[in-house]
Amino acid sequence: MAKKEHTFEGICRDIKSRKFAPVYILMGEEPYFMDRITDMLLQTVLNETERDFNQIILYGADADVAQVLNAARRFPMMAEYQLVVVREAQQIRNIDQLAHYVKSPLASTILVVNYKYKTLDKRKSLAAAAGKNGVLFESKKVPDYKLAGFITAMLQDRSVTIDPKAAQMLSDFLGNDLNRLVKELDKLIILLPENGPKRITPDLVEQNIGISKEYNNYELIKALALKDILKSNRIISYFEKNPKNNPIQATLPVLFNYFSNLLIAFYSKDRSEGGLMSALGLRNPYQTKDYMAGLRNYSAMKVFTIIGEIRTTDARSKGVENSSASDGELLKELVYKILH
C-alpha cells in the first residue's frame, strides 16, 4: 500500500477538523509551513485549562532523545490528549532513536517534531515509521516563478484580493522568504478599509513597502518583452540610483526565469494562451502576455544567447573576471545585449 503524501493544505484541514495524527515529523528548507502547522496544533489540540498539565515544549539545543521519549510516553491529565512539541529538533543527536516510539506511538500523545533546514533520510527508520503511523511532511521553498500565485492564493484564504501587478511586485522585491512576506502582507491588510472590497493595489504596495510601481522587475520584464528600449533603460537607471531596493542579485533570477520560460514557450507545440499557461505552469492568463510578446520579438537562438549572457553577468557580479564594473554597469551592459 502506497504511503499517503501529505500536503500543507491537507494537514491544516485535518487539524481544523480535529483529525489529529499521533506524530508529526515536519522537516525541510522552508520554516514557514512548519511554523504554521505547529501553531495550529498549539491553538487547536488543547483548550486553555488543559495546557498547563498537558502541553510540553522542548528545544533541541537543551533536550536529548531520552527527554523527548519520556515526555511522549506520559499520559494526559484530565484531557483527551497531551501535546509534545520539539522545536529545532535538528540539533538533537541520534534523533533516529525516536523511531522506537514512532513505530508504536501512544494514541493519547500528539508528538510534533520540527526538523528545520534539513531533511531526514527517508530510508531510515524514523522517517519510515512517521510516514506509516503519522504525518511526515517535507516543507519546501516556493519556487520564484510560483510566488505571485502563492501570494494570491494566500490572500484569497483571508478574503483579500490583489492586483496581479502588485503580487508580482511583492514577489520580485521580497523573494521567497515567506515569513517576511507574510509580515508585509499583514501590514497591507491592516491598511485596507473595513467596509467594502478588500484589494491590494500597486499604489498601496508602492506607498507602504517602498517598491516603485513604475520601476521594478515586473515592469523591466514587460519592457524587455516588448523591446521597449527607452523604458528598459529608464528602469535600470533607476535601479542603479536605488541599489538597496533593487539589487542585481534580485533582478538576475527574474530575468533568467523569464527567458528560460520563453525558451520553453518556443518549443511548445501549442503557443496559444491556454497552451502556454499549461506548458509554463501559469495560474492566470495575464501572465502569458509577456511570453506572447517575447515570442514575437525574439528568436529562439537569441534567447539561447541571452540566457548565456545572464549567467555570465551573474558570475561577474560575484567577482569572476570582473575587477572594476559596478552592478549598475553590469546590468546596463546586459540589458543592451538583450535588446540588440
Side-chain angles (χ1 to χ4, degrees):
M1 182 177 175
K3 293 178 184 176
K4 180 182 176 182
E5 188 72 25
H6 294 281
T7 66
F8 172 70
E9 294 81 6
I11 294 169
C12 292
R13 279 196 302 270
D14 285 346
I15 293 172
K16 286 179 182 176
S17 302
R18 297 188 63 81
K19 296 177 182 177
F20 304 126
V23 178
Y24 293 83
I25 303 288
L26 313 175
M27 61 183 186
E29 295 181 356
E30 179 50 69
Y32 171 77
F33 297 112
M34 289 183 270
D35 290 341
R36 281 283 306 277
I37 291 169
T38 302
D39 289 344
M40 282 190 70
L41 287 164
L42 287 167
Q43 293 163 12
T44 307
V45 174
L46 303 170
N47 62 41
E48 285 189 26
T49 60
E50 295 171 333
R51 286 173 190 152
D52 286 344
F53 296 107
N54 298 291
Q55 182 170 292
I56 300 172
I57 299 179
L58 302 171
Y59 292 86
D62 305 316
D64 57 25
V65 171
Q67 287 174 284
V68 177
L69 289 173
N70 287 337
R73 285 172 175 154
R74 290 173 65 245
F75 288 96
M77 292 181 63
M78 296 177 289
E80 184 179 1
Y81 299 107
Q82 71 148 347
L83 177 63
V84 179
V85 175
V86 186
R87 298 191 185 275
E88 309 297 340
Q90 70 276 6
Q91 297 185 47
I92 297 179
R93 293 180 60 191
N94 302 319
I95 194 169
D96 204 55
Q97 292 177 7
L98 285 178
H100 299 298
Y101 171 82
V102 176
K103 286 176 182 177
S104 184
L106 291 181
S108 59
T109 293
I110 297 172
L111 174 63
V112 186
V113 177
N114 282 260
Y115 195 82
K116 290 185 174 179
Y117 312 113
K118 297 180 178 181
T119 56
L120 293 166
D121 188 336
K122 293 181 181 179
R123 297 168 297 180
K124 291 189 174 180
S125 53
L126 176 57
K132 182 179 180 181
N133 297 320
V135 169
L136 179 67
F137 173 69
E138 183 175 351
S139 185
K140 298 178 181 178
K141 289 282 187 184
V142 177
D144 290 339
Y145 71 93
K146 289 186 176 180
L147 264 179
F150 174 82
I151 291 169
T152 301
M154 182 190 296
L155 290 170
Q156 281 177 346
D157 288 342
R158 301 174 69 173
S159 301
V160 176
T161 60
I162 185 168
D163 185 281
K165 179 177 176 178
Q168 195 64 53
M169 287 167 65
L170 288 166
S171 168
D172 293 344
F173 184 67
L174 298 173
N176 61 1
D177 180 345
L178 298 191
N179 282 314
R180 183 187 174 200
L181 178 61
V182 170
K183 287 178 183 176
E184 297 297 344
L185 289 174
D186 287 342
K187 290 180 190 176
L188 294 173
I189 291 170
I190 290 171
L191 296 169
L192 295 173
E194 290 187 16
N195 300 316
K198 295 183 182 295
R199 184 171 181 80
I200 294 174
T201 63
D203 285 333
L204 191 69
V205 172
E206 180 178 39
Q207 292 161 11
N208 296 282
I209 307 296
I211 315 167
S212 169
K213 67 176 180 179
E214 292 184 38
Y215 303 107
N216 54 67
N217 288 322
Y218 177 88
E219 292 296 329
L220 178 60
I221 290 298
K222 185 187 293 185
L224 291 174
L226 295 170
K227 278 204 168 181
D228 187 331
I229 295 173
L230 180 60
K231 186 173 181 180
S232 298
N233 285 318
R234 281 178 176 168
I235 293 170
I236 57 172
S237 293
Y238 178 87
F239 285 3
E240 186 175 27
K241 292 172 184 175
N242 299 273
K244 185 177 179 180
N245 286 342
N246 305 278
I248 192 171
Q249 290 78 16
T251 298
L252 292 177
V254 175
L255 294 175
F256 183 81
N257 180 62
Y258 170 73
F259 283 104
S260 297
N261 277 344
L262 185 58
L263 197 59
I264 294 171
F266 269 108
Y267 292 99
S268 175
K269 292 181 180 178
D270 183 357
R271 294 189 190 177
S272 67
E273 189 176 87
L276 291 181
M277 285 183 67
S278 176
L280 302 178
L282 305 178
R283 292 171 61 95
N284 296 303
Y286 80 88
Q287 294 175 294
T288 65
K289 292 179 181 177
D290 293 337
Y291 294 106
M292 302 289 277
L295 288 171
R296 292 193 300 270
N297 292 314
Y298 295 90
S299 67
M301 284 306 300
K302 177 64 175 176
V303 174
F304 267 119
T305 303
I306 289 169
I307 291 171
E309 294 291 355
I310 295 170
R311 290 183 183 276
T312 299
T313 302
D314 180 52
R316 291 180 67 196
S317 73
K318 296 169 182 171
V320 178
E321 297 183 6
N322 174 39
S323 58
S324 60
S326 68
D327 287 351
E329 290 168 338
L330 289 173
L331 192 55
K332 282 183 177 178
E333 182 181 339
L334 173 62
V335 168
Y336 178 85
K337 290 177 178 178
I338 289 173
L339 292 170
H340 297 86

